[in-house]
Amino acid sequence: MSVKIALAGNPNSGKTTLFNALTGSNQFVGNWPGVTVEKKEGKLKGHKDVVIMDLPGIYSLSPYTLEEVVARNYLIGERPDAIINIVDGTNIERNLYLSTQIMELGIPVVMAINMMDILAKTGDKIHLDKLKEKLGCDVVEISALKGTGIKAAAEQAVKLANQKSAGAPVHEFSTKAESVIEQVEGKLSGIVSDDQKRFFAIKLLEKDDKIQTQMKQTVDVSSEIKELEDAFDDDTESIITNERYVYISSIIGECVTKAKKGEKLTTSDKIDRIVTNRWLALPIFAVIMYAVYYVSISTLGGILTDWTNDTLFGEWIIPAAQSFFEGIGCADWLTGLIVDGIISGVGAVLGFVPQMLVLFFFLAILESCGYMARVAFIMDRIFRKFGLSGKSFIPILIGTGCGVPGVMASRTIENDRDRKMTIMTTTFIPCGAKLPIIALIAGALFRNASWVAPSAYFVGIAAIICSGIMLKKTKMFAGEPAPFVMELPAYHMPTAGNVLRSMWERGWSFIKKAGTIITLSTIVVWFLLNFGWTNGHFGMLNFDGLEGAAMEAAQAQCVLAKIGNLIAWIFAPLGWGNWKMAVAAITGLVAKENVVGTFGQLFGFAEVAEDGKEIWGTLASSMTQIAAYSFLVFNLLCAPCFAAMGAIKREMNNIKWFWFAIGYQCILAYLVSLCIYQFGTLATGGGFGIGVVVAILIVIGFLYMLFRPYKESQTLNVNIKTTAKAK
C-alpha cells in the first residue's frame, strides 16, 4: 500500500521547487477531477511506494478561490498520510496562518522552513526547537533551491505517515474562544473523527457554508455563534482570524530573533527600487523583453534554427529520406506523401524548436529569479487604468508558453466580468505555437530584422490593453476591476535544473503536438495539394520538373487551391488575397504551427536548392513586407488553435459567450491587419483608395471607443449632484 504525502504552502514559498527536487522526472501532470486547476503528483526518489501530491499554492483553507477549494477537498476527502507544510522563513508570520489551519486537520505534519539560506543573510534567526514546542509538530529547516535538508524532511514525513499518529495541535486561542470551540466539538462527536473535530468546529463557527456538505450532516451551532459574537462584539469569521494572528504573534515573539537592521535595505529592496520604479519599470520591462526576443529569434536562436532547417532537414534528413524510399521502390505518391508532405511539413515546424527553446530558457530564468512576479505588479498599475486587474497578467504570462493553460489560469480571478475579459484577451499574447510564424516572417520577409519579433509581443500587449479599455465601456463588462494582492518573493539565483526542466516541459509539449496534430494536418494538406482536376478528370497532379509560372498554374488545379480561392477575396483588403496565404491562415485555426507547415509544402522552403540556398525567396515574392506584417498580426490576434478554443468554451461555460469571444478576436484581428496594410501601403506611395477610407473610419471608431468617457461615471456624477441640490 502506497504512502500519500501532500505538499501544502503559500504561493512563492518554494513548494514547486521542493516537489521537483523530491520527485525528479517521476511526475504525472493532469487536472483535478471536474476542474482545470493543474494536478501534480510524483513518486519520491528512492521510494516507489511514496506518492507526493503538490497541492495548489494557497493562503488559507477557506473555500474562496478554486485553488483553496481543491486543496481543502483533497485534505479532507483523501486524507493523505502526512503533510509537508512549506513555510517561507523570510515571511514566517504570514505563512503560519495556513499552518495553524493545517495542524487542525489531525494529519501528521512536518513543517519545512524554506529559504533558510536567504534568512541567514538577513541576520534573522528562527529557533526551531522553540517553534516545534509551541506548535506541537516536527520542524526542519531546508533550502528547496539548493536541495539542502529536503531529504531529511521527506524521510521524517514518511516516518510520521507510517506511525499514523498526528497528535493534538498544541496551539490554543483565548479562553473565551476555546470554550465555545469545545462546545461545538462536543456536538460533533460521532459525526466526524476525533482528530478532525477541531477543524470542523472552527469552520462551522466561521460560517463556512460548504462545511456542512462535507460533513454530510447538518449541525446547528447558531447558539455558539451568537455566544462568540456577543463575547467579542464582532462576526465570528473576523474573531477566528484575529485569534489566529494573536496566537501567531505570541509565537513569533519567542521563536524568532530579528536582526537590528535599522534603515538598511535588503538586496531585493534595492533592486525593486529600480525595476518597480514608477517611471523606470515599463522601459526596463520593454528592454528586457526586446533583448529576450532579439536573442531568441534574430541571433542565437536564429543561428540554431538556420542550421536545423538548412543542414539537418535540408541537406541530411530530406535527401536521405528521398533516396531511401526511391531506393526500395516505393510508389511515387507514397514517397511524395512521406517526404514532401510529412517530413517537409513537420520539419518546417520542428525547424523552429531551437528558437522556442532559447525563448523558454530566458523566460524560465525571469520567472525563477522573481522578476516576472514584479512584472505582474507593474502591469497591475497599468491594467487597472484600463479596466483590468493585475491578476489578468498572470494568465497572459502563462499564455506565453501555451494559450490553453493561460486561459485556464483565469479561474483565479473572482470577478466574473474580469475573468471573461481575461479569457477573451489572453490568447493575444504570442504563445510558443505562434513563434514559428514570427520567426518565418522575420526571416523570409525582413531578413531577421531585430524589431519584428519584439514588436509581435508588444502588439499582443497593446491589443490586450486596448480591448480592456473598450470592453470596460460596454454594459457587459462595466464595473471596477478585481483587487489584486500578491507577494513579491525575494530575488534569488535560478538553479540550472529548474530552468532546464521548465524549458524542456514547454518545448516537449510543442514537439508532441508536432508529432500528432501537425502530422495529421500536413497529411490532409498534402492530399488536398496533390489531388485536383486536369483535363476534366480528378486525380493526382504531377509537379515534377515544374518551376515558376508552370508550377503556379499546376497548383491552381488542386483541391486546396479551389478551396483557397473561395475565401481568398476576404483577405484581399489585408494585402494577402492569394489563395496560399488564405489557406495557411485557415489551417492555423487547427494549430498555429500549421501555418508554417502549410508554407513548407506550398513554397518548399523546408527544402534546399542545389546551391544550398534556402528557397525563402518564393515566399518573399508572394507578398510585400507590409502585407507580410499584416499577415503576421492577423495570425497573432485572430482566434487561437482548436485546443485553446476548447479551453475558452469550457471556461466560458456558455456557448453564446464562446462565440462572442471568438468573433471579437477574429474581427479585431481583421480590422487591425487591414489598417496596417492600408496605411502602410499609403505611406510607401501606394495611393489613396477606398481601402484607406475604410481604414480611417476604423481608426476613428477605435479612438472613439478608447477615449469616450465611462457612462457609469457620468451617471454617478449626476446622482451626486442631484442629491446635493435636494439637500
Side-chain angles (χ1 to χ4, degrees):
M1 185 176 178
S2 64
V3 173
K4 294 186 293 183
I5 297 177
L7 299 185
N10 289 178
N12 297 317
S13 61
K15 184 172 55 61
T16 301
T17 304
L18 177 61
F19 175 73
N20 291 333
L22 291 176
T23 60
S25 59
N26 303 315
Q27 299 180 10
F28 311 94
V29 181
N31 288 334
W32 292 89
V35 297
T36 51
V37 174
E38 189 175 72
K39 176 183 183 180
K40 281 188 176 182
E41 62 178 279
K43 295 289 182 67
L44 178 63
K45 290 179 181 177
H47 296 77
K48 293 182 179 179
D49 60 339
V50 178
V51 177
I52 306 289
M53 179 63 70
D54 184 20
L55 297 180
I58 54 174
Y59 290 105
S60 76
L61 290 178
S62 301
Y64 295 129
T65 68
L66 187 64
E67 284 78 6
E68 289 171 344
V69 172
V70 165
R72 191 171 85 161
N73 287 348
Y74 177 80
L75 293 173
I76 295 175
E78 297 294 327
R79 296 286 292 175
D81 299 299
I83 299 172
I84 299 179
N85 174 214
I86 299 89
V87 172
D88 178 1
T90 63
N91 201 346
I92 190 169
E93 185 169 1
R94 195 253 308 131
N95 279 239
L96 285 179
Y97 186 87
L98 174 64
S99 301
T100 59
Q101 293 181 314
I102 288 174
M103 287 183 290
E104 289 162 0
L105 288 165
I107 300 173
V109 175
V110 174
M111 180 178 288
I113 310 292
N114 193 21
M115 305 185 192
M116 293 297 288
D117 51 330
I118 299 175
L119 191 71
K121 293 178 182 178
T122 65
D124 294 348
K125 187 175 182 181
I126 297 176
H127 306 286
L128 302 183
D129 292 340
K130 287 185 179 180
L131 194 60
K132 178 180 179 180
E133 179 186 341
K134 290 286 184 181
L135 294 174
C137 70
D138 287 352
V139 181
V140 296
E141 62 178 47
I142 68 169
S143 173
L145 194 65
K146 295 184 177 180
T148 56
I150 62 173
K151 186 177 180 181
E155 289 177 350
Q156 183 62 23
V158 173
K159 179 181 176 182
L160 291 177
N162 290 325
Q163 291 175 354
K164 305 288 184 183
S165 176
V170 173
H171 74 275
E172 292 184 349
F173 296 151
S174 64
T175 304
K176 291 180 182 178
E178 284 294 331
S179 65
V180 177
I181 292 171
E182 288 175 7
Q183 293 174 41
V184 178
E185 286 183 279
K187 289 186 174 183
L188 295 177
S189 296
I191 298 175
V192 298
S193 60
D194 290 343
D195 55 3
Q196 289 184 287
K197 280 183 184 178
R198 185 175 179 85
F199 176 80
F200 280 93
I202 291 175
K203 285 299 170 187
L204 286 171
L205 290 172
E206 287 181 322
K207 302 175 186 176
D208 186 333
D209 58 355
K210 293 184 175 64
I211 203 68
Q212 302 275 12
T213 304
Q214 290 177 315
M215 289 170 51
K216 299 180 181 178
Q217 186 170 337
T218 301
V219 177
D220 182 15
V221 294
S222 56
S223 59
E224 286 80 3
I225 288 175
K226 186 176 185 305
E227 180 183 343
L228 195 61
E229 289 181 339
D230 289 344
F232 287 89
D233 192 25
D234 202 351
D235 68 277
T236 51
E237 186 173 5
S238 298
I239 293 167
I240 296 296
T241 300
N242 185 64
E243 289 283 301
R244 287 193 192 281
Y245 277 116
V246 168
Y247 170 70
I248 291 169
S249 296
S250 69
I251 292 177
I252 296 299
E254 294 187 41
C255 301
V256 179
T257 302
K258 294 281 186 180
K260 296 181 180 180
K261 299 184 178 69
E263 298 297 321
K264 187 178 179 181
L265 295 174
T266 65
T267 303
S268 289
D269 291 336
K270 291 176 182 177
I271 297 173
D272 281 338
R273 281 197 165 187
I274 300 172
V275 301
T276 63
N277 180 275
R278 179 176 295 274
W279 306 110
L280 296 177
L282 280 179
I284 290 173
F285 173 58
V287 169
I288 289 174
M289 295 313 298
Y290 182 94
V292 165
Y293 273 86
Y294 175 68
V295 174
S296 302
I297 304 297
S298 300
T299 55
L300 177 61
I303 293 169
L304 294 174
T305 286
D306 287 345
W307 180 87
T308 305
N309 280 329
D310 295 354
T311 306
L312 182 62
F313 280 97
E315 295 180 5
W316 296 353
I317 295 179
I318 292 177
Q322 184 81 31
S323 299
F324 173 77
F325 288 109
E326 288 177 352
I328 63 174
C330 191
D332 290 343
W333 70 268
L334 185 57
T335 302
L337 170 61
I338 297 173
V339 177
D340 299 330
I342 298 175
I343 298 178
S344 292
V346 176
V349 176
L350 292 179
F352 294 98
V353 167
Q355 287 175 316
M356 294 180 62
L357 292 178
V358 173
L359 175 64
F360 293 155
F361 175 78
F362 285 119
L363 290 178
I365 290 176
L366 293 176
E367 291 170 7
S368 298
C369 74
Y371 177 70
M372 280 304 188
R374 271 74 182 175
V375 175
F377 168 76
I378 294 164
M379 296 308 293
D380 177 64
R381 198 161 57 209
I382 307 300
F383 277 23
R384 191 161 295 277
K385 295 179 180 179
F386 304 129
L388 282 170
S389 162
K391 283 188 176 181
S392 298
F393 187 74
I394 306 300
I396 292 166
L397 176 61
I398 296 171
T400 57
C402 177
V404 175
V407 170
M408 287 169 15
S410 63
R411 283 210 169 184
T412 59
I413 302 173
E414 296 87 354
N415 186 297
D416 185 62
R417 293 185 301 264
D418 289 358
R419 187 175 60 82
K420 283 185 169 67
M421 196 190 313
T422 302
I423 292 170
M424 289 174 58
T425 57
T426 291
T427 55
F428 287 153
I429 207 71
C431 64
K434 294 175 183 176
L435 192 64
I437 307 175
I438 299 170
L440 172 62
I441 298 298
L445 277 302
F446 293 93
R447 298 181 180 179
N448 275 329
S450 64
W451 61 270
V452 177
S455 72
Y457 183 85
F458 292 113
V459 163
I461 292 288
I464 292 166
I465 291 175
C466 291
S467 294
I469 298 173
M470 294 188 293
L471 292 174
K472 269 294 182 178
K473 294 178 180 179
T474 64
K475 289 183 178 180
M476 294 183 294
F477 297 99
E480 287 296 318
F484 177 55
V485 179
M486 74 171 296
E487 177 195 358
L488 296 181
Y491 288 103
H492 54 266
M493 287 294 294
T495 61
N498 287 337
V499 170
L500 293 176
R501 183 182 289 110
S502 175
M503 177 190 75
W504 178 246
E505 284 177 355
R506 289 177 170 179
W508 179 239
S509 65
F510 176 86
I511 294 169
K512 283 192 294 185
K513 190 189 291 186
T516 53
I517 298 173
I518 310 304
T519 300
L520 292 173
S521 300
T522 54
I523 290 173
V524 172
V525 171
W526 182 87
F527 272 104
L528 295 177
L529 177 63
N530 285 271
F531 284 82
W533 290 265
T534 53
N535 301 322
H537 298 285
F538 181 81
M540 187 172 180
L541 304 175
N542 185 5
F543 300 130
D544 291 343
L546 300 180
E547 295 180 0
M551 173 65 83
E552 290 287 332
Q555 284 187 334
Q557 305 304 315
C558 69
V559 177
L560 197 62
K562 303 299 182 185
I563 297 172
N565 284 321
L566 290 176
I567 58 174
W569 62 271
I570 299 173
F571 304 106
L574 279 59
W576 38 280
N578 183 295
W579 68 268
K580 294 182 179 182
M581 303 297 131
V583 165
I586 297 303
T587 59
L589 294 177
V590 178
K592 290 300 178 184
E593 302 93 331
N594 274 341
V595 174
V596 176
T598 302
F599 280 152
Q601 296 185 59
L602 293 175
F603 296 104
F605 69 81
E607 300 178 10
V608 175
E610 291 181 2
D611 62 358
K613 185 177 180 181
E614 201 171 17
I615 315 175
W616 280 20
T618 311
L619 175 59
S621 64
S622 64
M623 55 180 166
T624 64
Q625 287 187 330
I626 297 168
Y629 198 77
S630 166
F631 179 83
L632 173 61
V633 170
F634 179 85
N635 281 278
L636 291 178
L637 303 182
C638 77
C641 64
F642 280 179
M645 285 190 210
I648 292 173
K649 187 174 182 295
R650 287 194 303 272
E651 296 306 313
M652 287 294 192
N653 200 27
N654 182 297
I655 194 66
K656 291 182 179 178
W657 273 107
F658 166 72
W659 285 115
F660 176 75
I662 299 303
Y664 175 80
Q665 292 168 343
C666 291
I667 292 171
L668 180 68
Y670 190 92
L671 296 179
V672 173
S673 299
L674 186 147
C675 291
I676 288 172
Y677 176 70
Q678 295 297 335
F679 288 130
T681 303
L682 178 65
T684 53
F688 191 93
I690 185 65
V692 178
V693 174
V694 173
I696 291 172
L697 294 176
I698 292 171
V699 170
I700 292 172
F702 268 125
L703 294 175
Y704 171 74
M705 288 297 295
L706 288 173
F707 295 105
R708 76 182 180 94
Y710 287 86
K711 289 184 178 180
E712 287 70 25
S713 63
Q714 289 179 333
T715 304
L716 180 62
N717 290 337
V718 170
N719 291 339
I720 292 172
K721 290 176 182 177
T722 304
T723 305
K725 288 180 180 178
K727 289 183 179 180

